[in-house]
């Protein structure tokens, strides 16, 4: 994996997941993102991913990924 790809993942984890800046997913995730192992009722695409992350944050308010 290239260093540039690694940085995208690091940025996604820190900004989108840890800081709940879901709008940053618009810059980091393709609109037609396909989740290969979706959660029940998870919609495909970037918006489906953001919805799942919001649900996780509401259930686990102190969630933090290293």
């Amino acid at each position: 994996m290239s260093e540039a790809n690694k940085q995208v993942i690091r940025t996604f984890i820190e900004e989108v997941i840890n800081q709940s800046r879901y709008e940053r997913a618009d810059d980091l995730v393709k609109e037609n993102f396909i989740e290969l192992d979706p959660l029940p009722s998870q919609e495909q695409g970037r918006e489906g991913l953001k919805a799942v992350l919001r649900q996780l944050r509401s259930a686990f308010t102190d969630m933090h990924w290293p």
Side-chain angles (χ1 to χ4, degrees):
M1 181 182 293
S2 74
E3 190 57 38
N5 288 344
K6 290 177 187 178
Q7 188 56 47
V8 169
I9 298 300
R10 288 184 197 113
T11 301
F12 180 86
I13 290 170
E14 183 54 35
E15 294 185 21
V16 179
I17 295 175
N18 292 339
Q19 297 177 20
S20 301
R21 294 180 57 202
Y22 306 113
E23 74 281 357
R24 284 290 286 139
D26 295 341
D27 301 322
L28 300 167
V29 179
K30 288 190 172 220
E31 185 175 355
N32 60 352
F33 165 79
I34 296 175
E35 177 67 63
L36 297 179
D37 191 16
L39 295 174
S41 77
Q42 179 181 352
E43 293 183 24
Q44 291 294 340
R46 185 170 55 208
E47 294 305 315
L49 174 62
K50 291 191 298 187
V52 163
L53 293 174
R54 285 185 183 100
Q55 290 172 350
L56 286 170
R57 174 62 66 196
S58 70
F60 305 101
T61 57
D62 61 348
M63 178 175 71
H64 181 84
W65 289 17

